[in-house]
C-alpha cells in the first residue's frame, strides 16, 4: 500500500496533467491544488467535513481537505436571479435563493459569493446579527483564507462590526489602510467605514469629513462616490445643516440617479 506522501504526490501529478489556463467564476468547475495549479473537473461533490469527490475524465477521485486549497463549483443558476432581484431592491425575495446556494455550494466558492450578498441584505435591513452568523459560517468553512479568496467579504465584515458595535481595533486598522494601502477601492471603502464608526459615536463633524474626502477624491469610482454623497447628506441632516444636506442630496440624484443610494431616505 502506498504511504500518504506517495498518495498525495500521485494525486497532485494526476491532477496537474489536467491543467488549464487560469480563469475564475466560469461555468466550468475546478480545483486549486497546494502548488497553486488550477485543475478542471467535471463535477464536485462535497462531504460534510469539506473533503471532495471530483470527477475527472468520468472517474471519481477522492480529495482530502489538505489536498486542495480552493474549489470552485459550477455557477448556480440562482446567482443571476438573486443579483437581478437585489438590483430591483427586492432583497426579501433574494434571501431564500441565496440561503439555498450557501447550503448547496458549501466549500465551492459560490457559497461565499451568496453569503456576501445575503449578509449585505441583512445589514441594509438593520439585522447585523444575521450578517454576523453568515460570516461565522463562512469562516468555519474557509478559515483564515476567507478574505484572501473573497476580498468583498472584508467590507461586509467591517460594516458588520460597526453595526454590532464590535469595533475594537478596527479604526486603527482602517487608518493604516487609508494611509498605506495601494488599492484605491480598499482605501475608499476604509474611509467610508471609518466615517461610519465616527457617526456611531456621534462624532458627526469628523465623520462628514471622511465622507466628503471620498466624494471629492473618488469621483472615478461611481459606487463609492454615490455612497459617500448619501452619507454626507445624511450626516448633514443629523447635524442640522439643511443647506449642505440639499447640496449633497442634489449631487447624488444628479450624478448617480440609478444608484441604490439615490432612492434611500435621507432625513430632514
Amino acid at each position: 500500500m502506498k504511504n500518504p506522501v506517495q498518495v498525495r504526490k500521485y494525486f497532485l501529478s494526476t491532477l496537474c496533467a489536467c491543467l488549464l489556463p487560469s480563469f475564475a467564476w466560469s461555468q466550468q468547475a475546478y480545483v486549486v491544488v497546494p502548488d497553486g495549479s488550477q485543475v478542471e473537473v467535471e463535477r464536485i461533490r462535497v462531504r460534510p467535513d469539506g473533503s471532495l469527490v471530483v470527477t475527472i475524465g468520468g472517474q471519481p477521485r477522492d480529495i482530502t481537505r489538505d489536498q486542495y486549497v480552493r474549489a470552485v463549483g459550477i455557477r448556480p443558476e440562482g446567482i443571476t436571479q438573486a443579483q437581478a432581484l437585489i438590483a430591483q431592491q427586492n432583497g426579501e425575495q433574494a434571501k431564500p435563493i441565496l440561503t439555498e446556494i450557501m447550503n448547496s455550494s458549501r466549500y465551492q466558492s459560490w457559497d461565499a459569493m451568496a453569503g456576501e450578498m445575503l449578509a449585505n441584505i441583512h445589514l441594509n435591513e438593520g439585522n447585523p446579527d444575521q450578517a454576523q452568523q453568515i460570516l461565522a459560517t463562512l469562516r468555519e468553512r474557509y478559515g483564515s483564507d476567507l478574505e484572501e479568496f473573497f476580498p468583498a467579504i472584508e467590507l461586509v465584515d467591517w460594516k458588520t462590526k460597526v453595526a454590532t458595535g464590535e469595533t475594537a481595533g478596527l479604526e486603527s486598522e482602517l487608518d493604516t489602510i487609508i494611509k498605506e494601502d495601494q488599492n484605491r477601492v480598499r482605501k475608499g471603502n476604509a474611509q467610508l467605514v471609518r466615517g461610519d464608526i465616527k457617526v456611531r459615536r456621534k462624532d458627526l463633524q469628523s465623520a462628514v469629513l471622511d465622507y466628503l474626502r471620498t466624494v471629492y477624491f473618488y469621483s472615478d469610482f461611481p459606487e463609492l462616490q454615490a455612497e459617500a454623497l448619501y452619507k454626507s447628506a445624511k450626516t448633514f441632516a443629523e447635524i442640522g445643516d439643511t443647506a449642505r444636506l440639499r447640496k449633497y442630496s442634489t449631487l447624488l440624484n444628479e450624478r448617480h440617479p440609478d444608484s441604490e443610494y439615490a432612492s434611500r431616505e435621507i432625513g430632514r
Side-chain angles (χ1 to χ4, degrees):
M1 178 180 291
K2 294 180 181 179
N3 64 41
V5 173
Q6 289 174 318
V7 171
R8 179 182 174 86
K9 287 182 177 178
Y10 173 76
F11 169 77
L12 293 178
S13 65
T14 302
L15 286 187
C16 290
C18 308
L19 291 180
L20 292 179
S22 178
F23 63 98
W25 301 117
S26 76
Q27 295 291 340
Q28 176 64 56
Y30 63 90
V31 174
V32 179
V33 295
D35 70 355
S37 302
Q38 184 173 289
V39 182
E40 181 180 330
V41 300
E42 294 149 25
R43 184 186 176 197
I44 299 173
R45 183 164 61 84
V46 182
R47 296 191 178 99
D49 64 356
S51 63
L52 310 176
V53 179
V54 301
T55 303
I56 301 176
Q59 298 298 314
R61 301 181 187 276
D62 291 323
I63 307 179
T64 62
R65 190 64 189 87
D66 66 343
Q67 288 178 319
Y68 76 99
V69 175
R70 180 184 175 191
V72 178
I74 296 172
R75 179 187 175 96
E77 293 181 3
I79 285 286
T80 301
Q81 183 183 0
Q83 288 172 326
L85 287 167
I86 291 170
Q88 297 162 8
Q89 299 184 36
N90 198 340
E92 194 62 34
Q93 286 189 29
K95 283 194 288 189
I97 298 170
L98 295 170
T99 300
E100 192 281 328
I101 292 170
M102 279 196 69
N103 293 330
S104 63
S105 296
R106 66 190 190 282
Y107 295 100
Q108 297 180 66
S109 296
W110 296 104
D111 57 343
M113 185 176 185
E116 182 253 333
M117 295 163 68
L118 185 58
N120 273 319
I121 291 171
H122 286 305
L123 288 173
N124 290 337
E125 292 178 344
N127 299 315
D129 289 343
Q130 283 90 334
Q132 195 172 50
Q133 289 173 12
I134 291 167
L135 291 174
T137 297
L138 294 176
R139 288 196 191 287
E140 185 177 344
R141 295 176 186 177
Y142 295 99
S144 59
D145 293 324
L146 181 61
E147 282 89 354
E148 181 180 349
F149 290 162
F150 316 105
I153 293 291
E154 181 179 57
L155 179 57
V156 179
D157 181 53
W158 292 346
K159 290 185 174 183
T160 301
K161 286 177 178 176
V162 175
T164 58
E166 298 176 8
T167 57
L170 178 58
E171 190 168 355
S172 176
E173 177 187 343
L174 297 174
D175 288 343
T176 300
I177 291 169
I178 292 165
K179 292 176 184 175
E180 301 177 4
D181 203 281
Q182 299 302 307
N183 184 319
R184 289 193 67 225
V185 172
R186 190 172 185 237
K187 287 166 69 80
N189 280 325
Q191 195 158 257
L192 287 175
V193 175
R194 187 173 69 178
D196 296 344
I197 293 174
K198 293 173 182 178
V199 166
R200 186 176 178 88
R201 66 169 181 253
K202 302 301 181 182
D203 186 3
L204 301 182
Q205 296 288 352
S206 183
V208 81
L209 290 178
D210 275 332
Y211 298 148
L212 291 175
R213 289 187 190 100
T214 311
V215 168
Y216 290 106
F217 293 119
Y218 291 86
S219 59
D220 49 336
F221 295 97
E223 291 184 11
L224 277 175
Q225 191 186 55
E227 183 176 353
L229 283 165
Y230 167 77
K231 289 182 174 179
S232 295
K234 189 172 178 65
T235 306
F236 280 125
E238 292 187 49
I239 291 171
D241 188 335
T242 55
R244 284 192 279 190
L245 156 62
R246 286 194 297 268
K247 174 182 177 179
Y248 290 102
S249 60
T250 299
L251 284 174
L252 172 60
N253 286 300
E254 289 177 349
R255 296 181 182 178
H256 309 285
D258 298 324
S259 167
E260 63 172 289
Y261 294 100
S263 61
R264 289 191 185 184
E265 185 70 29
I266 289 178
R268 301 177 191 178

